[in-house]
Amino acid sequence: MGRTVVPGSKSHTIRALLLATLAEGKSTIHNPLPSADCLSTAAAVPLMGSRVDLNLTTEGVPGTDWEVYGAGKNLHLPTDVINVGNSGSLLYFLSPVAATFEGYSIFTGDESIRKRPVDHVADVLCQMGAIASTSQPGSRFCPLVIKGPVSAKNTVRTEGSVSSQYISGLMMAALRMKETLNIELSKPTETPYLTMTQKWLEKIGAKVHISEDFKKISVTPPAEIKAFDCTIPSDWEAVAFPLIAAAISDSDIFIDNIDGSGTQGDDAIVGILESIGADIEWNRDENVLHVRGGKKSKDGIGRLTTENLPGGELHVNLSGFPDAICALSAIACFTEGHIYIEDIGVCRRKETDRISVLKKELEKLGAKVEEGSDFMIIHGHSPVLADGKPNPDFKLHGAEVESYFDHRVAMSLACMGLGMRDGERIFVKNAECCSVSFPHFFDVMNEIGAGFEAN
Protein backbone atom coordinates (compact mmCIF):
# COMPACT_ATOMS: atom_id res chain seq x y z
CA MET A 1 0.00 0.00 0.00
CA GLY A 2 1.35 3.41 -0.95
CA ARG A 3 0.37 7.05 -0.69
CA THR A 4 1.28 9.94 -2.97
CA VAL A 5 0.45 13.52 -3.87
CA VAL A 6 0.59 14.66 -7.47
CA PRO A 7 1.81 18.16 -8.38
CA GLY A 8 -0.35 21.25 -8.62
CA SER A 9 -2.25 21.98 -11.82
CA LYS A 10 -0.27 23.40 -14.72
CA SER A 11 -3.38 25.05 -16.14
CA HIS A 12 -4.17 26.80 -12.86
CA THR A 13 -0.53 27.77 -12.18
CA ILE A 14 -0.04 29.49 -15.54
CA ARG A 15 -3.33 31.37 -15.22
CA ALA A 16 -2.36 32.49 -11.72
CA LEU A 17 1.05 33.79 -12.87
CA LEU A 18 -0.43 35.75 -15.78
CA LEU A 19 -3.27 37.30 -13.81
CA ALA A 20 -0.98 38.16 -10.91
CA THR A 21 1.21 39.99 -13.44
CA LEU A 22 -1.80 42.08 -14.53
CA ALA A 23 -2.71 42.88 -10.91
CA GLU A 24 -1.65 45.73 -8.64
CA GLY A 25 0.42 44.58 -5.66
CA LYS A 26 1.90 41.32 -4.42
CA SER A 27 0.11 38.04 -5.07
CA THR A 28 1.10 34.74 -3.45
CA ILE A 29 0.65 31.42 -5.22
CA HIS A 30 0.70 28.38 -2.94
CA ASN A 31 1.42 24.85 -4.25
CA PRO A 32 2.39 25.98 -7.78
CA LEU A 33 3.59 23.43 -10.31
CA PRO A 34 7.38 23.91 -10.80
CA SER A 35 7.28 22.32 -14.25
CA ALA A 36 9.15 23.49 -17.33
CA ASP A 37 6.04 25.17 -18.77
CA CYS A 38 5.29 27.06 -15.56
CA LEU A 39 8.91 28.12 -15.18
CA SER A 40 8.82 29.39 -18.78
CA THR A 41 5.84 31.51 -17.75
CA ALA A 42 7.63 32.79 -14.65
CA ALA A 43 10.54 33.81 -16.90
CA ALA A 44 8.31 35.48 -19.51
CA VAL A 45 6.02 37.71 -17.46
CA PRO A 46 8.83 39.93 -16.08
CA LEU A 47 9.39 41.06 -19.68
CA MET A 48 6.06 42.86 -19.30
CA GLY A 49 6.84 44.49 -15.97
CA SER A 50 6.13 42.07 -13.12
CA ARG A 51 8.63 40.47 -10.75
CA VAL A 52 8.41 36.80 -9.79
CA ASP A 53 10.09 35.38 -6.70
CA LEU A 54 10.16 31.57 -6.83
CA ASN A 55 11.63 31.38 -3.32
CA LEU A 56 14.42 29.11 -4.50
CA THR A 57 16.12 26.81 -2.02
CA THR A 58 19.87 26.88 -1.57
CA GLU A 59 20.00 24.08 -4.17
CA GLY A 60 18.11 26.26 -6.65
CA VAL A 61 14.83 24.33 -6.41
CA PRO A 62 11.63 26.42 -6.64
CA GLY A 63 9.77 26.72 -3.35
CA THR A 64 6.16 25.84 -2.58
CA ASP A 65 5.07 29.49 -2.38
CA TRP A 66 5.71 31.90 -5.25
CA GLU A 67 5.32 35.66 -4.98
CA VAL A 68 4.38 37.82 -7.95
CA TYR A 69 4.78 41.58 -7.73
CA GLY A 70 2.26 42.64 -10.34
CA ALA A 71 2.91 45.29 -12.96
CA GLY A 72 -0.66 46.58 -12.74
CA LYS A 73 -0.95 50.02 -14.36
CA ASN A 74 2.74 49.81 -15.29
CA LEU A 75 2.29 46.71 -17.46
CA HIS A 76 4.01 47.27 -20.79
CA LEU A 77 4.90 45.83 -24.17
CA PRO A 78 7.35 42.90 -23.85
CA THR A 79 10.90 44.23 -23.76
CA ASP A 80 12.29 41.23 -25.65
CA VAL A 81 11.20 38.32 -27.80
CA ILE A 82 9.12 35.97 -25.66
CA ASN A 83 10.39 32.41 -25.88
CA VAL A 84 7.65 30.17 -24.49
CA GLY A 85 9.86 27.07 -24.47
CA ASN A 86 7.54 24.10 -24.89
CA SER A 87 4.44 25.81 -23.49
CA GLY A 88 1.50 26.12 -25.84
CA SER A 89 -0.54 27.52 -22.95
CA LEU A 90 1.89 30.40 -22.47
CA LEU A 91 2.00 31.10 -26.21
CA TYR A 92 -1.78 31.19 -26.65
CA PHE A 93 -2.52 32.96 -23.35
CA LEU A 94 0.08 35.73 -23.43
CA SER A 95 0.13 36.72 -27.11
CA PRO A 96 -3.37 38.28 -27.03
CA VAL A 97 -2.41 40.18 -23.84
CA ALA A 98 0.75 41.51 -25.53
CA ALA A 99 -1.40 42.57 -28.49
CA THR A 100 -3.19 45.13 -26.32
CA PHE A 101 -0.12 47.39 -26.46
CA GLU A 102 1.03 49.81 -29.13
CA GLY A 103 4.07 48.30 -30.84
CA TYR A 104 5.53 44.97 -31.84
CA SER A 105 5.79 41.74 -29.88
CA ILE A 106 7.33 38.48 -31.06
CA PHE A 107 6.62 34.96 -29.78
CA THR A 108 8.64 31.84 -30.47
CA GLY A 109 9.53 28.59 -28.72
CA ASP A 110 11.33 25.28 -28.99
CA GLU A 111 11.24 22.96 -32.00
CA SER A 112 7.90 21.46 -30.94
CA ILE A 113 6.25 24.87 -30.48
CA ARG A 114 7.50 25.96 -33.88
CA LYS A 115 5.34 23.17 -35.32
CA ARG A 116 2.18 24.32 -33.52
CA PRO A 117 -0.23 26.44 -35.61
CA VAL A 118 -0.68 30.12 -34.73
CA ASP A 119 -2.54 31.32 -37.81
CA HIS A 120 -5.82 31.13 -35.88
CA VAL A 121 -4.32 33.46 -33.24
CA ALA A 122 -3.17 35.91 -35.92
CA ASP A 123 -6.65 35.84 -37.46
CA VAL A 124 -8.53 36.77 -34.27
CA LEU A 125 -6.02 39.51 -33.41
CA CYS A 126 -6.41 40.98 -36.88
CA GLN A 127 -10.18 40.98 -36.36
CA MET A 128 -9.54 43.12 -33.28
CA GLY A 129 -7.43 45.68 -35.14
CA ALA A 130 -3.90 44.30 -34.81
CA ILE A 131 -1.51 43.43 -37.60
CA ALA A 132 -0.48 39.85 -36.86
CA SER A 133 1.18 37.13 -38.89
CA THR A 134 3.80 34.45 -38.82
CA SER A 135 7.30 35.71 -39.57
CA GLN A 136 7.73 33.41 -42.56
CA PRO A 137 5.38 33.97 -45.53
CA GLY A 138 3.09 31.01 -46.11
CA SER A 139 3.85 29.46 -42.72
CA ARG A 140 1.24 28.64 -40.07
CA PHE A 141 3.79 28.40 -37.29
CA CYS A 142 5.90 30.50 -34.92
CA PRO A 143 7.60 32.90 -34.78
CA LEU A 144 4.40 34.97 -34.39
CA VAL A 145 4.74 38.71 -34.95
CA ILE A 146 2.09 41.07 -33.59
CA LYS A 147 1.66 44.83 -33.98
CA GLY A 148 -0.94 46.16 -31.58
CA PRO A 149 -3.04 47.52 -30.15
CA VAL A 150 -6.25 45.53 -30.34
CA SER A 151 -9.65 46.71 -29.14
CA ALA A 152 -13.01 45.20 -28.22
CA LYS A 153 -14.88 47.20 -30.87
CA ASN A 154 -15.48 44.20 -33.11
CA THR A 155 -17.07 40.91 -32.10
CA VAL A 156 -14.45 38.17 -32.51
CA ARG A 157 -15.66 35.22 -34.59
CA THR A 158 -13.63 32.03 -34.72
CA GLU A 159 -14.14 28.27 -34.68
CA GLY A 160 -12.46 27.47 -31.38
CA SER A 161 -11.91 23.90 -32.55
CA VAL A 162 -8.12 24.15 -32.79
CA SER A 163 -7.79 24.76 -29.06
CA SER A 164 -9.50 26.51 -26.17
CA GLN A 165 -6.24 28.14 -25.13
CA TYR A 166 -6.30 31.12 -27.46
CA ILE A 167 -9.91 31.78 -26.44
CA SER A 168 -8.76 31.90 -22.81
CA GLY A 169 -6.01 34.26 -23.99
CA LEU A 170 -8.58 36.59 -25.54
CA MET A 171 -10.61 36.49 -22.33
CA MET A 172 -7.52 37.54 -20.34
CA ALA A 173 -6.65 40.23 -22.88
CA ALA A 174 -10.16 41.66 -22.35
CA LEU A 175 -9.05 42.67 -18.85
CA ARG A 176 -6.99 45.45 -20.47
CA MET A 177 -9.77 46.80 -22.66
CA LYS A 178 -12.23 49.59 -21.91
CA GLU A 179 -15.27 47.89 -23.43
CA THR A 180 -16.84 44.45 -23.15
CA LEU A 181 -15.22 41.91 -25.44
CA ASN A 182 -17.65 39.61 -27.26
CA ILE A 183 -16.50 36.30 -28.72
CA GLU A 184 -18.54 33.95 -30.91
CA LEU A 185 -17.38 30.35 -31.39
CA SER A 186 -18.76 28.03 -34.07
CA LYS A 187 -17.07 24.85 -32.82
CA PRO A 188 -16.00 25.24 -29.16
CA THR A 189 -13.75 22.54 -27.73
CA GLU A 190 -12.03 21.88 -24.39
CA THR A 191 -14.90 23.77 -22.78
CA PRO A 192 -14.02 22.91 -19.15
CA TYR A 193 -10.92 25.05 -19.57
CA LEU A 194 -13.04 28.01 -20.67
CA THR A 195 -15.01 27.55 -17.46
CA MET A 196 -11.72 27.49 -15.55
CA THR A 197 -10.72 30.81 -17.11
CA GLN A 198 -14.16 32.24 -16.35
CA LYS A 199 -13.81 31.37 -12.66
CA TRP A 200 -10.34 32.94 -12.50
CA LEU A 201 -11.53 36.16 -14.14
CA GLU A 202 -14.53 36.36 -11.87
CA LYS A 203 -12.20 35.87 -8.90
CA ILE A 204 -10.40 39.09 -9.78
CA GLY A 205 -13.59 41.07 -10.42
CA ALA A 206 -14.37 40.67 -14.13
CA LYS A 207 -17.89 40.00 -15.36
CA VAL A 208 -17.96 36.95 -17.60
CA HIS A 209 -20.90 35.36 -19.39
CA ILE A 210 -20.63 32.07 -21.29
CA SER A 211 -23.69 30.68 -23.03
CA GLU A 212 -24.79 27.15 -22.24
CA ASP A 213 -23.46 25.87 -25.58
CA PHE A 214 -20.19 27.84 -25.15
CA LYS A 215 -20.74 29.58 -28.48
CA LYS A 216 -21.03 33.08 -27.03
CA ILE A 217 -18.64 34.60 -24.49
CA SER A 218 -18.49 38.12 -23.13
CA VAL A 219 -15.93 39.63 -20.76
CA THR A 220 -16.28 43.01 -19.03
CA PRO A 221 -13.08 44.10 -17.27
CA PRO A 222 -12.99 45.27 -13.66
CA ALA A 223 -11.98 48.84 -12.84
CA GLU A 224 -8.83 47.51 -11.20
CA ILE A 225 -7.24 44.10 -10.82
CA LYS A 226 -6.13 43.60 -7.26
CA ALA A 227 -3.49 41.19 -6.00
CA PHE A 228 -4.64 37.89 -4.58
CA ASP A 229 -3.55 34.80 -2.68
CA CYS A 230 -4.44 31.40 -4.09
CA THR A 231 -3.70 27.70 -3.61
CA ILE A 232 -3.22 25.64 -6.76
CA PRO A 233 -5.21 22.38 -6.73
CA SER A 234 -3.72 19.08 -7.86
CA ASP A 235 -3.47 18.48 -11.58
CA TRP A 236 -5.97 15.92 -12.89
CA GLU A 237 -3.85 15.49 -16.00
CA ALA A 238 -1.10 14.27 -13.66
CA VAL A 239 -3.46 12.24 -11.45
CA ALA A 240 -4.33 10.13 -14.50
CA PHE A 241 -0.94 8.40 -14.56
CA PRO A 242 -0.68 6.90 -11.06
CA LEU A 243 -4.39 6.16 -11.44
CA ILE A 244 -3.99 3.99 -14.54
CA ALA A 245 -0.72 2.51 -13.27
CA ALA A 246 -2.49 1.23 -10.15
CA ALA A 247 -5.49 -0.04 -12.12
CA ILE A 248 -3.38 -2.27 -14.40
CA SER A 249 -1.08 -3.66 -11.71
CA ASP A 250 -1.39 -5.41 -8.36
CA SER A 251 -1.46 -2.10 -6.50
CA ASP A 252 -3.21 -0.46 -3.57
CA ILE A 253 -2.55 3.29 -3.45
CA PHE A 254 -4.00 6.52 -2.12
CA ILE A 255 -3.69 9.78 -4.07
CA ASP A 256 -4.08 12.85 -1.84
CA ASN A 257 -5.04 16.49 -2.51
CA ILE A 258 -7.55 15.61 -5.23
CA ASP A 259 -9.36 18.59 -6.79
CA GLY A 260 -13.12 18.18 -6.53
CA SER A 261 -14.02 21.69 -7.72
CA GLY A 262 -15.07 20.54 -11.18
CA THR A 263 -12.87 23.12 -12.93
CA GLN A 264 -10.68 20.46 -14.56
CA GLY A 265 -12.50 18.37 -17.15
CA ASP A 266 -9.99 15.55 -16.79
CA ASP A 267 -11.66 14.43 -13.55
CA ALA A 268 -14.10 12.58 -15.82
CA ILE A 269 -11.47 9.84 -16.08
CA VAL A 270 -12.62 8.41 -12.74
CA GLY A 271 -16.12 7.64 -14.03
CA ILE A 272 -14.71 6.27 -17.28
CA LEU A 273 -12.42 3.85 -15.48
CA GLU A 274 -15.13 2.82 -13.06
CA SER A 275 -17.39 1.99 -16.03
CA ILE A 276 -14.90 -0.68 -17.16
CA GLY A 277 -14.53 -2.14 -13.69
CA ALA A 278 -11.69 -0.20 -12.07
CA ASP A 279 -11.78 -0.34 -8.26
CA ILE A 280 -11.68 3.36 -7.32
CA GLU A 281 -13.07 5.16 -4.28
CA TRP A 282 -13.20 8.96 -4.25
CA ASN A 283 -13.53 10.43 -0.77
CA ARG A 284 -14.64 13.95 -1.64
CA ASP A 285 -14.68 15.07 1.97
CA GLU A 286 -10.99 14.24 2.40
CA ASN A 287 -10.00 14.86 -1.27
CA VAL A 288 -8.50 11.38 -1.59
CA LEU A 289 -8.62 8.72 -4.31
CA HIS A 290 -8.13 5.08 -3.27
CA VAL A 291 -7.21 2.83 -6.21
CA ARG A 292 -6.80 -0.94 -6.10
CA GLY A 293 -5.77 -2.99 -9.10
CA GLY A 294 -5.29 -6.62 -10.02
CA LYS A 295 -5.09 -9.00 -7.07
CA LYS A 296 -5.44 -6.06 -4.65
CA SER A 297 -8.89 -5.09 -6.00
CA LYS A 298 -12.08 -6.00 -4.16
CA ASP A 299 -12.72 -9.13 -6.21
CA GLY A 300 -9.07 -10.22 -6.16
CA ILE A 301 -8.94 -10.19 -9.98
CA GLY A 302 -9.19 -6.57 -11.11
CA ARG A 303 -10.25 -7.40 -14.64
CA LEU A 304 -11.06 -4.39 -16.83
CA THR A 305 -13.72 -4.99 -19.48
CA THR A 306 -16.32 -3.24 -21.63
CA GLU A 307 -18.70 -6.20 -21.56
CA ASN A 308 -21.17 -4.53 -19.18
CA LEU A 309 -21.48 -1.38 -21.29
CA PRO A 310 -24.10 -0.79 -24.03
CA GLY A 311 -23.17 -2.89 -27.04
CA GLY A 312 -20.18 -4.23 -25.14
CA GLU A 313 -18.12 -1.18 -26.19
CA LEU A 314 -16.73 1.91 -24.50
CA HIS A 315 -17.23 5.20 -26.33
CA VAL A 316 -15.47 8.23 -24.85
CA ASN A 317 -15.85 11.73 -26.27
CA LEU A 318 -12.70 13.64 -25.33
CA SER A 319 -13.54 17.04 -26.82
CA GLY A 320 -13.69 18.52 -23.32
CA PHE A 321 -10.47 16.99 -22.01
CA PRO A 322 -8.33 15.83 -24.97
CA ASP A 323 -5.09 15.56 -22.95
CA ALA A 324 -6.54 12.37 -21.43
CA ILE A 325 -5.96 10.58 -24.75
CA CYS A 326 -2.55 9.28 -23.64
CA ALA A 327 -3.64 7.76 -20.32
CA LEU A 328 -6.88 6.33 -21.74
CA SER A 329 -5.13 4.80 -24.74
CA ALA A 330 -2.67 3.09 -22.42
CA ILE A 331 -5.25 1.53 -20.12
CA ALA A 332 -7.46 0.60 -23.08
CA CYS A 333 -4.78 -1.87 -24.16
CA PHE A 334 -5.34 -3.77 -20.87
CA THR A 335 -9.13 -3.72 -21.16
CA GLU A 336 -11.15 -6.57 -22.66
CA GLY A 337 -13.25 -5.12 -25.47
CA HIS A 338 -13.41 -2.32 -27.99
CA ILE A 339 -12.65 1.24 -26.85
CA TYR A 340 -13.59 4.16 -29.11
CA ILE A 341 -11.82 7.44 -28.26
CA GLU A 342 -13.67 10.11 -30.20
CA ASP A 343 -13.68 13.80 -31.16
CA ILE A 344 -9.92 14.12 -30.70
CA GLY A 345 -8.89 15.99 -33.85
CA VAL A 346 -7.28 18.64 -31.65
CA CYS A 347 -4.83 15.98 -30.42
CA ARG A 348 -3.06 16.14 -33.77
CA ARG A 349 -1.99 19.67 -32.87
CA LYS A 350 -0.55 19.07 -29.42
CA GLU A 351 3.14 18.57 -28.60
CA THR A 352 3.00 15.83 -31.22
CA ASP A 353 0.32 14.36 -33.45
CA ARG A 354 -0.78 12.23 -30.53
CA ILE A 355 -3.20 10.10 -32.55
CA SER A 356 -0.54 9.01 -35.02
CA VAL A 357 2.22 8.72 -32.41
CA LEU A 358 0.16 6.64 -29.99
CA LYS A 359 -0.95 4.25 -32.71
CA LYS A 360 2.62 3.70 -33.84
CA GLU A 361 4.08 3.17 -30.37
CA LEU A 362 1.20 1.07 -29.00
CA GLU A 363 1.49 -1.25 -31.99
CA LYS A 364 5.17 -1.76 -31.16
CA LEU A 365 3.93 -3.22 -27.87
CA GLY A 366 1.52 -5.59 -29.60
CA ALA A 367 -1.69 -3.52 -29.33
CA LYS A 368 -4.32 -3.47 -32.06
CA VAL A 369 -5.18 0.12 -32.89
CA GLU A 370 -7.23 1.82 -35.61
CA GLU A 371 -6.80 5.50 -36.46
CA GLY A 372 -9.13 8.05 -38.03
CA SER A 373 -8.90 11.77 -38.58
CA ASP A 374 -10.43 12.49 -35.17
CA PHE A 375 -10.75 9.12 -33.45
CA MET A 376 -8.92 6.01 -32.30
CA ILE A 377 -10.26 2.50 -31.77
CA ILE A 378 -8.31 0.20 -29.48
CA HIS A 379 -9.16 -3.49 -29.46
CA GLY A 380 -7.89 -4.46 -26.05
CA HIS A 381 -7.52 -7.59 -23.97
CA SER A 382 -7.30 -8.04 -20.23
CA PRO A 383 -4.29 -10.02 -18.99
CA VAL A 384 -6.76 -12.29 -17.15
CA LEU A 385 -10.03 -14.04 -17.87
CA ALA A 386 -13.17 -13.55 -15.79
CA ASP A 387 -12.06 -16.39 -13.47
CA GLY A 388 -8.64 -14.81 -12.93
CA LYS A 389 -6.72 -17.26 -15.13
CA PRO A 390 -4.25 -15.93 -17.71
CA ASN A 391 -5.89 -14.71 -20.91
CA PRO A 392 -4.31 -16.35 -23.98
CA ASP A 393 -5.49 -13.43 -26.13
CA PHE A 394 -3.43 -10.92 -24.17
CA LYS A 395 -0.47 -10.28 -26.48
CA LEU A 396 1.17 -7.11 -25.14
CA HIS A 397 4.93 -7.38 -24.83
CA GLY A 398 7.93 -5.22 -24.07
CA ALA A 399 9.79 -3.08 -26.59
CA GLU A 400 11.77 0.11 -27.00
CA VAL A 401 9.39 2.99 -27.70
CA GLU A 402 9.72 6.67 -28.58
CA SER A 403 8.39 9.51 -26.45
CA TYR A 404 8.83 12.07 -29.24
CA PHE A 405 9.70 14.43 -26.36
CA ASP A 406 5.98 14.52 -25.50
CA HIS A 407 5.57 14.38 -21.74
CA ARG A 408 2.17 12.67 -21.71
CA VAL A 409 3.20 10.09 -24.30
CA ALA A 410 6.28 9.29 -22.19
CA MET A 411 4.32 8.87 -18.96
CA SER A 412 1.59 6.73 -20.53
CA LEU A 413 4.07 4.34 -22.15
CA ALA A 414 6.09 4.08 -18.95
CA CYS A 415 2.98 3.22 -16.95
CA MET A 416 2.13 0.44 -19.39
CA GLY A 417 5.31 -1.32 -18.35
CA LEU A 418 3.80 -1.84 -14.89
CA GLY A 419 1.01 -3.99 -16.32
CA MET A 420 3.16 -6.26 -18.44
CA ARG A 421 3.68 -9.92 -17.63
CA ASP A 422 6.84 -10.95 -15.82
CA GLY A 423 9.96 -10.59 -17.92
CA GLU A 424 8.49 -8.02 -20.32
CA ARG A 425 10.03 -4.54 -20.13
CA ILE A 426 9.33 -1.26 -21.85
CA PHE A 427 12.17 1.17 -22.58
CA VAL A 428 10.97 4.75 -23.15
CA LYS A 429 13.43 6.96 -24.99
CA ASN A 430 13.90 10.57 -23.84
CA ALA A 431 11.57 9.99 -20.91
CA GLU A 432 13.01 12.96 -19.01
CA CYS A 433 10.54 15.14 -20.95
CA CYS A 434 8.00 14.23 -18.23
CA SER A 435 9.29 17.26 -16.33
CA VAL A 436 7.23 19.51 -18.61
CA SER A 437 4.12 18.74 -16.55
CA PHE A 438 5.16 16.30 -13.79
CA PRO A 439 8.55 17.08 -12.25
CA HIS A 440 10.27 14.05 -10.69
CA PHE A 441 7.57 11.76 -12.12
CA PHE A 442 9.66 8.61 -11.88
CA ASP A 443 10.82 9.38 -8.34
CA VAL A 444 7.24 10.01 -7.21
CA MET A 445 6.06 6.77 -8.80
CA ASN A 446 8.94 4.78 -7.34
CA GLU A 447 8.03 5.99 -3.86
CA ILE A 448 4.79 4.02 -4.22
CA GLY A 449 6.52 0.94 -5.60
CA ALA A 450 6.60 1.43 -9.36
CA GLY A 451 10.18 0.21 -9.82
CA PHE A 452 11.14 2.46 -12.73
CA GLU A 453 14.83 2.40 -13.65
CA ALA A 454 16.96 4.97 -15.47
CA ASN A 455 18.91 3.63 -18.40
Side-chain angles (χ1 to χ4, degrees), residues 55 79 153 206 272 280 303 416 420:
N55 287 314
T79 55
K153 181 176 68 173
I272 294 168
I280 305 172
R303 184 171 184 261
M416 289 181 69
M420 293 290 178

Side-chain angles (χ1 to χ4, degrees), residues 209-220:
H209 174 74
I210 300 180
S211 63
E212 189 173 340
D213 61 4
F214 286 87
K215 290 187 175 182
K216 292 187 177 182
I217 300 172
S218 67
V219 182
T220 303

Side-chain angles (χ1 to χ4, degrees), residues 248 302-306 329-339 366-368 378-385 390-396 416 419-421:
I248 63 175
R303 184 171 184 261
L304 304 176
T305 177
T306 65
S329 296
I331 199 167
C333 296
F334 295 85
T335 302
E336 192 67 34
H338 308 293
I339 295 88
K368 185 177 180 181
I378 298 177
H379 306 281
H381 288 290
S382 168
V384 294
L385 300 171
N391 183 358
D393 291 329
F394 180 77
K395 304 294 186 182
L396 291 184
M416 289 181 69
M420 293 290 178
R421 286 176 171 161

Side-chain angles (χ1 to χ4, degrees), residues 184-326:
E184 293 184 0
L185 307 178
S186 58
K187 297 179 182 178
T189 57
E190 301 178 318
T191 53
Y193 293 101
L194 298 178
T195 300
M196 181 188 293
T197 301
Q198 176 185 14
K199 290 184 180 298
W200 268 103
L201 298 190
E202 290 174 341
K203 173 184 174 72
I204 60 172
K207 294 180 180 179
V208 183
H209 174 74
I210 300 180
S211 63
E212 189 173 340
D213 61 4
F214 286 87
K215 290 187 175 182
K216 292 187 177 182
I217 300 172
S218 67
V219 182
T220 303
E224 181 183 36
I225 303 172
K226 296 181 180 179
F228 54 85
D229 282 7
C230 64
T231 300
I232 302 299
S234 60
D235 193 342
W236 270 103
E237 294 170 1
V239 169
F241 296 105
L243 185 57
I244 66 164
I248 63 175
S249 60
D250 295 331
S251 299
D252 185 347
I253 69 168
F254 292 87
I255 308 174
D256 293 320
N257 193 33
I258 293 297
D259 177 21
S261 69
T263 60
Q264 300 183 60
D266 299 73
D267 61 3
I269 193 171
V270 172
I272 294 168
L273 298 185
E274 287 179 327
S275 76
I276 57 175
D279 184 355
I280 305 172
E281 295 178 13
W282 185 351
N283 186 325
R284 293 178 179 269
D285 293 330
E286 298 182 5
N287 301 318
V288 175
L289 280 181
H290 184 192
V291 192
R292 290 169 289 203
K295 296 176 182 178
K296 297 291 183 68
S297 60
K298 290 178 183 177
D299 64 5
I301 299 174
R303 184 171 184 261
L304 304 176
T305 177
T306 65
E307 61 191 11
N308 297 318
L309 297 173
E313 300 172 342
L314 173 64
H315 290 258
V316 183
N317 186 306
L318 284 190
S319 63
F321 51 110
D323 284 334
I325 183 176
C326 298

Side-chain angles (χ1 to χ4, degrees), residues 116-140:
R116 303 273 292 270
V118 292
D119 51 336
H120 56 296
V121 181
D123 175 71
V124 295
L125 296 180
C126 288
Q127 289 184 44
M128 298 169 69
I131 300 173
S133 67
T134 57
S135 64
Q136 299 180 359
S139 170
R140 300 179 59 210

